[in-house]
């Protein structure tokens, strides 16, 4: 029988280790060029899109639901040429140099959307190639203006091809070799050909009933 201090059956318990096999090392850690399984395993819990998709039983098995994530709500204009995203105020970049745990803001979204559109290696380029302008009225608000109606924009902001990264990594020429996002897992250390270690992000914005990320 379980001891007095053991969690009830089915009740999640904090802690533990999970080990996964990688068929090969990721070629690089650039989230704009994420296209192989091993890169997905390393980056999937580090970098996040603005929204998230719910699939399977919770979505009725017939499709998917778009849910809040880094952006807590959004509105589309009646003519489908503009989407306004409202960001959570408690999202931070992971606490690693050179970003050092600063707040994730509308300027980060604008910076990434422009890179998605303008960088040739961007896997998200097709999403925003007809983007006309990005406005940031305040730190938590982003207005994306398209040249023509584009209703899929909201759905694409939940895809893993639109992952947001900090400007500091680009400025320091570290985007290919370091990973710093807003997700629940942080890249702790790695040795190519041997092991990649991730650890829990203690500042992740989504928390359980006890306030634990």
């Amino acid at each position: 029988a379980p001891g007095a201090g053991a969690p009830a059956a089915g009740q999640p318990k904090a802690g533990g280790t999970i080990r996964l096999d990688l068929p090969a090392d990721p070629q690089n850690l650039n989230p704009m060029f994420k296209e192989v399984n091993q890169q997905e395993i390393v980056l999937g819990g580090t970098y996040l899109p603005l929204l998230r998709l719910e699939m399977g039983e919770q979505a009725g098995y017939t499709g998917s639901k778009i849910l809040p994530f880094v952006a807590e709500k959004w509105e589309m204009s009646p003519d489908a040429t503009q989407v306004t995203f409202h960001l959570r105020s408690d999202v931070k970049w992971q606490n690693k140099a050179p970003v050092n745990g600063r707040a994730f803001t509308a300027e980060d979204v604008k910076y990434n959307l422009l890179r998605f559109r303008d960088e040739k290696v961007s896997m998200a380029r097709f999403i925003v190639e007809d983007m006309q302008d990005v406005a940031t009225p305040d730190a938590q608000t982003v207005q994306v203006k398209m040249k023509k109606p584009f209703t899929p924009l909201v759905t694409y902001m939940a895809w893993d091809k639109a992952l947001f990264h900090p400007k500091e990594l680009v400025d320091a020429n570290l985007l290919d070799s370091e990973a710093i996002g807003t997700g629940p897992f942080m890249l702790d250390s790695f040795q190519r050909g041997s092991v990649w270690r991730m650890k829990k992000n203690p500042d992740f914005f989504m928390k359980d009933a006890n306030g634990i990320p």
Side-chain angles (χ1 to χ4, degrees):
Q11 180 180 344
K13 179 183 177 182
T17 301
I18 184 171
R19 293 180 173 86
L20 300 171
D21 290 330
L22 290 176
D25 286 320
Q27 293 181 357
N28 64 65
L29 299 180
N30 186 339
M32 297 180 68
F33 194 60
K34 187 173 69 65
E35 62 177 355
V36 292
N37 290 337
Q38 53 266 33
Q39 199 172 10
E40 172 68 29
I41 292 173
V42 173
L43 300 182
T46 303
Y47 292 110
L48 300 180
L50 286 186
L51 306 173
R52 63 190 177 102
L53 290 176
E54 185 175 73
M55 297 179 283
E57 180 180 4
Q58 300 301 318
Y61 294 110
T62 58
S64 60
K65 295 179 181 178
I66 302 172
L67 299 178
F69 204 18
V70 175
E72 59 185 358
K73 59 182 180 178
W74 60 92
E75 303 101 25
M76 180 173 287
S77 63
D79 64 357
T81 62
Q82 180 171 296
V83 178
T84 301
F85 296 98
H86 302 274
L87 308 180
R88 295 177 60 124
S89 61
D90 57 351
V91 180
K92 297 180 180 180
W93 294 106
Q94 294 164 354
N95 194 7
K96 297 171 62 177
V99 191
N100 301 317
R102 68 168 176 82
F104 179 92
T105 71
E107 289 301 323
D108 291 306
V109 177
K110 179 177 181 178
Y111 175 77
N112 276 261
L113 291 176
L114 292 176
R115 279 180 57 80
F116 292 165
R117 184 191 66 184
D118 299 337
E119 291 291 321
K120 292 182 179 180
V121 300
S122 170
M123 294 186 68
R125 195 177 188 187
F126 74 98
I127 300 173
V128 289
E129 60 185 351
D130 287 327
M131 185 173 65
Q132 178 175 311
D133 187 39
V134 184
T136 54
D138 58 56
Q140 266 70 56
T141 307
V142 183
Q143 295 171 334
V144 183
K145 179 70 174 178
M146 306 297 287
K147 296 177 182 177
K148 56 186 178 182
F150 189 60
T151 55
L153 178 62
V154 171
T155 301
Y156 285 144
M157 286 298 102
W159 278 27
D160 63 357
K161 290 179 174 60
L163 301 177
F164 289 75
H165 55 273
K167 182 177 184 294
E168 289 90 335
L169 284 187
V170 179
D171 290 345
N173 198 28
L174 292 173
L175 194 61
D176 288 346
S177 58
E178 178 61 280
I180 301 176
T182 56
F185 293 101
M186 303 168 61
L187 179 61
D188 187 27
S189 63
F190 65 91
Q191 180 180 347
R192 287 192 173 275
S194 178
V195 63
W196 294 74
R197 291 188 176 90
M198 313 298 290
K199 65 180 181 180
K200 181 177 180 178
N201 175 11
D203 301 315
F204 185 51
F205 59 90
M206 295 186 74
K207 298 176 172 57
D208 65 16
N210 297 315
I212 299 175

